[in-house]
Amino acid sequence: MSAVARTGLQALPTFEESVLVLIDHQPFHIANVNSHEPTLIVNNVIGLAETAKACGVPTILTTVAEGRGGHLVQGLQDVFPEQKPIDRTFISAWQDDRVVEAVKETGRRKLIIAGLWTEICVAMSAIQATGEGFEVYVVTDASGGVSKEAHDMAVRRMARAGVVPITRSALTGELQCDGVRKETAPVVAQAQAEYDGVAFGLGGAASRLLRGNRRLTSWTPQKARAPRPRRSCAPAGEAAVSRTAITQGRTVSDAVVPAPHK
């Protein structure tokens, strides 16, 4: 196992040393994200993928049980139209030899991961890869969980295991490192303008213009799934009480369903 730097310049990711693995950004998983607004996750992973591709960071796409969970979300697949995602049966991507071999073939040891759900497929993969000597970074706002608590607890658990949690915007800045790196600066600036509304090195008017023109993807499920009927906790003969869950601006309401008459 190689030594992993936790502090200093060597602890920061670079374009030249990094490899990106994107795990299970599929319709079924996205539809069950409650830790974030799902559109935020989709936009962040697309922005992450676009930056990685433009800056020469090898990217590996993987899905799980594609026949049930659906194909990779279209906006992400469009970034890599020629790449077929590795479809797994293992929950942890790091237990699939094809994924591991694809990472090792790059010769890079700084492993960047984003995926769904944070508490399962992402955490399992990140913790295992860390144990094998990789420097693992998890992009927390391009990942999501079935609840805010599930996502947060997974991030804490991974951090205790040595995984570095990081946001997409922070990661992009660390990868760029130097604002005058001409080969990658335009790509990073464009990503910041499109996905963060930030225009570095430009005047206020130009910054506002870019913010107004940034491209955001609105995600909708590819296939509608019938909701699973909920069991009522109300006594027989009484109506079930409606529940409204509000998670970071996203509202999900359960219909009021009368209890069945005997």
Side-chain angles (χ1 to χ4, degrees):
M1 183 183 299
S2 60
V4 176
R6 300 297 180 201
T7 58
L9 188 59
Q10 292 302 313
L12 303 181
T14 67
F15 288 124
E16 296 80 9
E17 298 175 289
S18 299
V19 54
L20 174 64
V21 176
L22 300 177
I23 302 173
D24 305 346
H25 290 91
Q26 299 165 258
F28 174 79
H29 295 76
I30 297 170
N32 288 281
V33 166
N34 291 289
S35 58
H36 302 72
E37 168 57 46
T39 300
L40 173 70
I41 302 294
V42 173
N43 278 294
N44 277 332
V45 74
I46 292 173
L48 178 62
E50 289 178 346
T51 302
K53 181 178 181 179
C55 296
V57 176
T59 301
I60 297 155
L61 307 176
T62 181
T63 55
V64 65
E66 189 180 81
R68 296 195 301 271
H71 297 290
L72 199 68
V73 66
Q74 191 60 50
L76 179 55
Q77 184 67 74
D78 288 345
V79 181
F80 303 97
E82 305 301 322
Q83 184 178 159
K84 181 175 175 56
I86 298 170
D87 192 41
R88 316 180 320 276
T89 58
F90 284 109
I91 295 175
S92 170
W94 207 253
Q95 285 186 273
D96 191 300
D97 291 340
R98 296 168 298 169
V99 174
V100 177
E101 286 304 312
V103 170
K104 289 182 176 179
E105 283 176 6
T106 68
R108 303 183 179 207
R109 304 297 297 179
K110 293 181 183 287
L111 176 61
I112 301 168
I113 293 176
L116 304 174
W117 297 305
T118 317
E119 65 274 19
I120 303 177
C121 302
V122 173
M124 292 171 69
S125 303
I127 291 170
Q128 188 175 349
T130 300
E132 295 181 14
F134 284 84
E135 298 178 52
V136 182
Y137 306 80
V138 167
V139 187
T140 56
D141 57 357
S143 306
V146 298
S147 69
K148 185 177 185 301
E149 182 177 10
H151 175 82
D152 291 348
M153 291 301 103
V155 172
R156 292 189 192 184
R157 180 188 178 195
M158 287 187 284
R160 287 179 63 88
V163 178
V164 180
I166 193 168
T167 63
R168 182 198 54 76
S169 180
L171 174 68
T172 302
E174 290 187 16
L175 289 170
Q176 175 62 21
C177 187
D178 189 340
V180 298
R181 292 180 63 182
K182 295 182 180 179
E183 66 276 14
T184 56
V187 174
V188 170
Q190 182 70 16
Q192 297 283 21
E194 287 188 358
Y195 296 99
D196 298 315
V198 176
F200 289 111
L202 299 177
S207 178
R208 286 192 296 273
L209 177 62
L210 281 170
R211 283 200 298 270
N213 291 337
R214 60 178 169 163
R215 182 176 72 253
L216 293 179
T217 298
S218 178
W219 179 82
T220 54
Q222 295 175 351
K223 293 183 179 180
R225 298 177 62 91
R228 180 185 300 175
R230 295 182 180 273
R231 298 181 62 183
S232 171
C233 294
E238 296 183 15
V241 180
S242 64
R243 178 182 65 85
T244 299
I246 301 175
T247 307
Q248 298 203 4
R250 180 184 179 214
T251 303
V252 180
S253 300
D254 295 331
V256 178
V257 181
H261 293 287
K262 294 185 178 179

